[in-house]
Amino acid sequence: MRNDARPTVAPKPAPPAVWRWAVLIAISVAMFGNYYAYDAIGPVADSLQRMLGFTDTQIGTLNAIYSFPNIIMVLLGGIIVDRFGTRLSTLVFAIICAIGAAVTAMSPLFPVMAAGRLIFGLGAESMIVAITVAIGQWFVGRQLGFAFGLNLSIARAGSYSADMSTTWFKPLYDRGWQPPLWLAAGFAVIAVAGCAVYYLLERSASRRFDLQQPAPADHIAWSDLWRFDRSYWYIVGLCVTFYSVIFPFRSTFAIKYFQHAHGLSLQEAGSMNAYVFLAAIFATPAFGLMADRVGSRAAFMAAGSFLLCAVFPILAYTDASLWITTVMIGIAFSLVPAVLWPAVPYVVTQNRLGTAYGLMTMLQNIGMMVVNLAAGALNDANGAGPDNADGYRPMLWMFLLLSLFGFLFAAALRARETGPSGHGLESIRASAAP
């Protein structure tokens, strides 16, 4: 009699905590390089205007055009992540970023520089989506808010370094606009290295451990874009308005504004702007951990949005120390993202996270593109400059109104999440397991 019995295959163990944190460090290093390269325009904005004759509209375009391909690409990128997985998607998108950063640095011609920023944007936001999905998959239910916060903390260390580069690498800035941009391209290469390490870690982990990750989506369902519920769309609305204020102001025009409206030197303005990210480096993971412990995520989003609203009247109509508004922006920029991004896995199914984050980031980039262009056009139309600091006020008013809309979205989210249709954003507490 034939024996058809087969040996039982032992189930794979779950990956140990050290493996999760190694993955987080690798992709966070990649985010560091990504953020540095993005924020490289602000510190050279004045040099581009003085040495190459760029207008504020052109300077705004260099960051706006970064967002342009993401009107479509970042949504496709999210679907690609759902279809092909995070590790391959992240590495490919990082390579595209490095190519774009190199093209940006290679020529003083505005069309070439703009093309480089467009290529960089083509990969950068999709890379961020892939990394965000990876964190959601590796940490859901296990200190997710803290993991997101730590990732953002390391990423913002890249932005802080870009602003502080005016002091740390002053000889490069003394040589003109180009050497600092080549430095940014070098950091984009570091991002590729971080993604390569993540690729190897996850490939090895998939063979040794049970990752408990969702199966890839088996098809592209465009109708899914309209099936997300109202809580998701409130989060998207806050995301769009909040980042349409933070990045066009802080990453494009703040250093130049501080120089012209407050008489700071390039180094002083860069340092003042950098303190926003210095605060975020430490505060973001702390706020993420706080949300893990106590819930109340929508309430925290509303509080951070309200704080941002107060910044721009103070800048426009008072002589208050820049430290006051810098601290306020720093708290808002630490609190809102630390809670906003980890909220999505609670309201969206796991195998549609890439699509959800892609759609969210697509709309975010539309907002950033439009507002960067609008801010530059407002400054040019009102003659903003060192001899006319009041010309910046229309730009500040625009940022105030956008901040107010962000607060309204956060308030609407809290109202829904405290009712019977909520998903538990205000009550769910993550596991304290490492």
Side-chain angles (χ1 to χ4, degrees):
M1 182 176 180
R2 190 177 63 182
N3 185 359
D4 288 335
R6 297 176 183 174
T8 302
V9 177
K12 294 179 180 179
V18 66
W19 208 277
R20 289 198 303 274
W21 295 108
V23 164
L24 183 67
I25 291 171
I27 55 182
S28 296
V29 167
M31 289 279 278
F32 178 101
N34 183 309
Y35 272 52
Y36 186 104
Y38 174 81
D39 282 298
I41 296 300
V44 297
D46 186 63
S47 295
L48 293 175
Q49 192 166 64
R50 287 186 295 102
M51 302 176 70
L52 301 181
F54 285 12
T55 65
D56 267 18
T57 299
Q58 288 176 310
I59 293 169
T61 298
L62 291 178
N63 275 343
I65 203 169
Y66 162 97
S67 301
F68 177 74
N70 294 306
I71 294 174
I72 297 175
M73 181 58 203
V74 79
L75 176 57
L76 294 178
I79 295 172
I80 288 170
V81 170
D82 283 340
R83 185 69 183 87
F84 296 103
T86 55
R87 67 174 184 256
L88 178 61
S89 303
T90 303
L91 182 58
V92 171
F93 292 140
I95 292 171
I96 294 172
C97 291
I99 294 171
V103 172
T104 302
M106 68 173 49
S107 172
L109 299 176
F110 176 76
V112 176
M113 195 174 293
R117 292 295 286 180
L118 186 147
I119 295 169
F120 177 74
L122 193 65
E125 290 296 319
S126 294
M127 172 186 156
I128 293 171
V129 168
I131 288 175
T132 303
V133 173
I135 298 171
Q137 292 175 348
W138 276 84
F139 284 89
V140 66
R142 295 185 178 95
Q143 296 182 317
L144 179 61
F146 179 68
F148 268 106
L150 188 59
N151 175 255
L152 284 172
S153 176
I154 296 173
R156 286 170 182 163
S159 293
Y160 172 75
S161 299
D163 283 345
M164 290 302 296
S165 65
T166 59
T167 298
W168 295 345
F169 303 106
K170 187 176 182 296
L172 293 181
Y173 285 88
D174 290 342
R175 289 167 54 193
W177 60 271
Q178 194 169 34
L181 293 182
W182 278 119
L183 178 64
F187 278 103
V189 173
I190 291 175
V192 175
C195 290
V197 171
Y198 164 58
Y199 181 95
L200 296 174
L201 283 170
E202 186 164 291
R203 186 177 67 174
S204 178
S206 67
R207 297 169 180 169
R208 300 172 58 182
F209 308 115
D210 178 11
L211 297 185
Q212 296 183 341
Q213 294 182 352
D218 56 1
H219 66 285
I220 296 174
W222 296 101
S223 60
D224 285 354
L225 300 180
W226 314 113
R227 293 177 182 171
F228 299 122
D229 75 359
R230 206 183 311 165
S231 289
Y232 169 78
W233 289 110
Y234 287 147
I235 293 172
V236 170
L238 172 58
C239 175
V240 172
T241 51
F242 183 82
Y243 283 101
S244 292
V245 173
I246 287 290
F247 283 113
F249 178 64
R250 202 223 63 87
S251 297
T252 308
F253 293 108
I255 291 177
K256 187 170 175 286
Y257 169 75
F258 292 155
Q259 289 177 268
H260 295 171
H262 294 272
L264 274 61
S265 69
L266 173 61
Q267 285 69 37
E268 291 170 337
S271 297
M272 182 61 67
N273 206 36
Y275 289 129
V276 170
F277 282 102
L278 180 62
I281 289 169
F282 300 100
T284 302
F287 284 134
L289 186 61
M290 178 175 65
D292 283 339
R293 291 285 190 267
V294 304
S296 301
R297 294 169 179 84
F300 288 137
M301 293 183 212
S305 301
F306 182 79
L307 193 62
L308 187 63
C309 290
V311 166
F312 298 101
I314 294 174
L315 285 175
Y317 297 106
T318 76
D319 294 323
S321 169
L322 287 177
W323 281 106
I324 296 175
T325 51
T326 297
V327 168
M328 293 169 69
I329 295 175
I331 294 173
F333 194 45
S334 301
L335 177 56
V336 174
V339 184
L340 184 150
W341 295 101
V344 176
Y346 291 106
V347 301
V348 173
T349 59
Q350 288 289 302
N351 68 341
R352 294 300 178 192
L353 269 181
T355 304
Y357 277 125
L359 178 59
M360 182 171 167
T361 310
M362 178 192 77
L363 297 174
Q364 172 197 1
N365 275 273
I366 292 174
M368 288 165 56
M369 180 187 70
V370 171
V371 173
N372 262 306
L373 292 173
L378 283 172
N379 290 344
D380 286 339
N382 291 279
D387 299 323
N388 181 27
D390 288 345
Y392 287 103
R393 280 184 179 174
M395 176 185 73
L396 299 179
W397 264 100
M398 178 180 67
F399 291 145
L400 168 61
L401 292 174
L402 286 169
S403 302
L404 180 59
F405 277 112
F407 171 74
L408 295 176
F409 280 122
L413 176 65
R414 174 162 172 75
R416 178 174 172 79
E417 287 298 317
T418 53
S421 299
H423 300 80
L425 284 181
E426 301 303 273
S427 58
I428 291 177
R429 293 163 176 79
S431 167

